[in-house]
Amino acid sequence: MLERNVLLIGSGAIGSVVLRNLAGDAAVRLRWVLDMPARRESLQRELGDGSRAICSLDELDARPDFALECAGHAAVRTHVPQLLEQGIDVILVSIGSLAEPGIVELLEQAARKGGAQLSLISGAIAAIDAIASARVGGLDEVIYTGRKPPLGWQGTPAEKVVDLANLKAAALLFEGSAGDAARLYPKNANVAATVSLAGLGFDKTRATLIADPGVSKNIHRVQARGAFGELDLTISGNPLPDNPKTSALTAYSAVRAIRNRVAPLVI
């Protein structure tokens, strides 16, 4: 089996799960891991001899077969356009970044120029394939509701809305378009962005974000209605231990996306 050389952008909570799950995989080699300069030495020790820690695309000593981005919104704008222009396919984890005005157009232009493809993982939510398929026949309404424990909203604008540390009951943090939700809560609203891109778009998809001390999981609900019929799906995901803002399923989805690129049979 031909081994594919992959560039991993980001070695945080999601990147660490990807590294663990693909260690020793005969079909995939995470040959380069790009992260901040302050992380270089410690990251290289963690990686050992099998991978190389880098801090810039200029340090690549060969052409990656494809790349996986899981480093956040700044990394999307900094690294992804350059890779796409060079004809290198990119799998995107930080889908909420696409709510930033102009970024979708920038990435599409770069992909067309390089003849590359930017693919988005399904992440923490199911039924993305169903919503995307339903769009073909026509969608009338798509609603996303995200409910997380208060800890999952720390370090976000939610801290100005409610007292997260002393919250005793569920509190509404945001209600409006999915685009605004993704822009205001970039580390929490990747699901809202994914649902939007699969269906009606950022402006027409409605989103509600809730902090709830009565739950211990990240709960995502998607409701859709259209020519296909109706869909109502709820998923209660365990958060990653290293990052309560992110569901573990997001990291597993990233691993699956890489394996799907190299497997002879995919679903």
Side-chain angles (χ1 to χ4, degrees):
M1 181 180 294
L2 178 65
E3 184 181 59
R4 305 294 181 88
N5 291 313
V6 181
L7 164 64
L8 175 64
I9 303 174
S11 63
I14 294 176
S16 296
V17 173
V18 172
L19 284 164
R20 285 197 300 271
N21 277 270
L22 293 177
D25 193 302
V28 175
R29 178 187 176 194
L30 297 173
R31 182 168 171 178
W32 309 271
V33 182
L34 191 155
D35 213 314
M36 303 296 290
R39 282 272 294 147
R40 184 199 291 268
E41 291 187 9
S42 61
L43 177 58
Q44 189 61 66
R45 287 195 295 270
E46 294 169 15
L47 295 174
D49 297 330
S51 304
R52 182 180 170 211
I54 63 174
C55 304
S56 166
L57 295 179
D58 294 335
E59 297 180 52
L60 290 170
D61 53 3
R63 180 184 177 85
D65 289 305
F66 60 92
L68 172 75
E69 174 283 320
C70 55
H73 293 203
V76 173
R77 180 172 283 278
T78 302
H79 305 300
V80 175
Q82 183 178 341
L83 290 167
L84 293 172
E85 286 184 359
Q86 293 174 359
I88 299 170
D89 292 348
V90 178
I91 301 169
L92 198 73
V93 172
S94 303
I95 299 172
S97 65
L98 302 184
E100 179 186 336
I103 191 68
V104 170
E105 294 77 10
L106 173 67
L107 296 176
E108 286 183 342
Q109 182 180 13
R112 288 194 184 97
K113 181 178 179 180
Q117 183 181 73
L118 177 69
S119 57
L120 315 180
I121 67 168
S122 56
I125 190 66
I128 292 303
D129 56 341
I131 294 172
S133 298
R135 182 176 62 185
V136 176
L139 279 167
D140 299 321
E141 183 180 52
V142 179
I143 302 170
Y144 165 72
T145 303
R147 183 185 299 266
K148 297 183 181 183
L151 182 63
W153 297 104
Q154 288 183 349
T156 76
E159 293 179 326
K160 297 180 180 180
V161 179
V162 297
D163 183 0
L164 293 172
N166 298 299
L167 197 61
K168 304 301 182 185
L172 178 66
L173 303 177
F174 173 87
E175 192 170 31
S177 74
D180 287 340
R183 284 187 285 269
L184 288 170
Y185 293 86
K187 295 181 180 180
N188 295 79
N190 272 343
V191 174
T194 304
V195 171
S196 299
L197 290 163
L200 289 174
F202 286 111
D203 294 334
K204 293 182 179 180
T205 303
R206 309 308 299 168
T208 300
L209 305 180
I210 299 169
D212 189 346
V215 303
S216 59
K217 300 178 184 293
N218 297 337
I219 302 175
H220 307 286
R221 182 184 184 189
V222 177
Q223 299 161 278
R225 179 173 53 85
F228 77 100
E230 297 181 358
L231 178 151
D232 192 337
L233 178 139
T234 299
I235 182 168
S236 298
N238 290 323
L240 282 173
D242 295 337
N243 185 359
K245 296 180 178 64
T246 301
S247 295
L249 189 59
T250 300
Y252 303 150
S253 178
V255 174
R256 171 180 173 267
I258 288 180
R259 286 182 170 154
N260 273 3
R261 287 296 303 254
V262 302
L265 174 66
V266 300
I267 186 171

